[in-house]
Amino acid sequence: MASLIDPLIEFVSAHVWLAYLTLFLAALLEAVPILGSVIPGSTIIFALSALVPGGDLQLEWVLSAAVAGALLGDGSAFWLGHREQREILNCWPLSNYPHLVARSEAFFRRWGTLAVFFARFVPPIRAFVPITAGALGMSPPIFYAVNIPAILLWAPAHVLPGVLAVSALHRYGGFASHAGIAKYCWILAVIAGALLIALWTWIARRRREGAVIKPAVQSDRGKL
């Protein structure tokens, strides 16, 4: 992954408008079902934020590009599901990934409206919940009332850690080149991703344990 991210940063640092376009597309494609589960959009956004402290990119435009891409991606997926209804979940290419569709539907049914908010921070469910919400009949006003605040939190959560990390590297680490910065941003992105996966695994395990304990308790009460 580093071999892909490093040249990307070097290239977009020399073509600023492409940097903003890359940020926009990374955020947009993360919301596309199937494609969003394999595109490292969050890593790209985190890595490109390394160019903000050096003045290559402007923070407000980086945030704007990420927000705009996420809004368009989530909104398009939602409206596709809203228009096609549940049939879309059984059509190609979603039909080739029944386990991810099932996870997304279970996630949505468990958390309801809040699933739209939580999913923005949980890959790869993030790429499936908007279309699932539309397919299962969530109304557009409710979807956007939850989705927009989630994206407005998600964008800074992805951009600002990279900005702060690189600012610290500039100040205390003595790194001035984009290559050195890119390397350490990629490492930080991998660590952040691992922590998110660990957190999600812990939550899922706790939920399964709770599901096992609850029937057992009810069974004991029935015997009494």
Side-chain angles (χ1 to χ4, degrees), residues 45-111:
I45 293 170
F46 185 89
L48 287 179
S49 67
L51 302 177
V52 173
D56 296 286
L57 299 179
Q58 299 300 312
L59 178 59
E60 59 270 23
W61 288 108
V62 169
L63 290 171
S64 297
V67 167
L71 283 173
L72 182 59
D74 283 0
S76 299
F78 171 79
W79 279 106
L80 180 61
H82 185 72
R83 185 184 67 181
E84 300 296 332
Q85 297 299 304
R86 187 172 179 81
E87 287 76 13
I88 190 67
L89 300 180
N90 300 317
C91 294
W92 184 90
L94 295 180
S95 59
N96 292 337
Y97 300 87
H99 59 292
L100 287 176
V101 173
R103 283 180 59 192
S104 176
E105 187 171 346
F107 188 82
F108 181 79
R109 293 191 182 281
R110 176 176 179 80
W111 296 103

Side-chain angles (χ1 to χ4, degrees), residues 1-187:
M1 185 67 71
S3 61
L4 297 176
I5 297 297
D6 293 353
L8 175 63
I9 290 181
E10 291 291 344
F11 180 75
V12 298
S13 64
H15 305 82
V16 174
W17 68 274
L18 281 176
Y20 296 123
L21 178 60
T22 301
L23 286 161
F24 173 82
L25 291 175
L28 187 152
L29 293 176
E30 268 206 326
V32 176
I34 309 302
L35 193 59
S37 61
V38 297
I39 293 232
S42 295
T43 303
I44 292 172
I45 293 170
F46 185 89
L48 287 179
S49 67
L51 302 177
V52 173
D56 296 286
L57 299 179
Q58 299 300 312
L59 178 59
E60 59 270 23
W61 288 108
V62 169
L63 290 171
S64 297
V67 167
L71 283 173
L72 182 59
D74 283 0
S76 299
F78 171 79
W79 279 106
L80 180 61
H82 185 72
R83 185 184 67 181
E84 300 296 332
Q85 297 299 304
R86 187 172 179 81
E87 287 76 13
I88 190 67
L89 300 180
N90 300 317
C91 294
W92 184 90
L94 295 180
S95 59
N96 292 337
Y97 300 87
H99 59 292
L100 287 176
V101 173
R103 283 180 59 192
S104 176
E105 187 171 346
F107 188 82
F108 181 79
R109 293 191 182 281
R110 176 176 179 80
W111 296 103
T113 302
L114 288 177
V116 176
F117 185 93
F118 293 147
R120 185 99 280 279
F121 302 88
V122 183
I125 294 295
R126 172 168 53 228
F128 289 84
V129 165
I131 195 171
T132 301
L136 297 184
M138 176 177 280
S139 69
I142 293 178
F143 174 80
Y144 284 110
V146 179
N147 181 244
I148 291 175
I151 289 174
L152 292 178
L153 288 175
W154 166 85
H158 279 64
V159 171
L160 294 182
V163 174
L164 294 174
V166 173
S167 296
L169 288 174
H170 273 304
R171 184 170 183 179
Y172 303 110
F175 292 95
S177 68
H178 291 313
I181 288 172
K183 175 183 177 182
Y184 281 88
C185 276
W186 178 79
I187 292 173

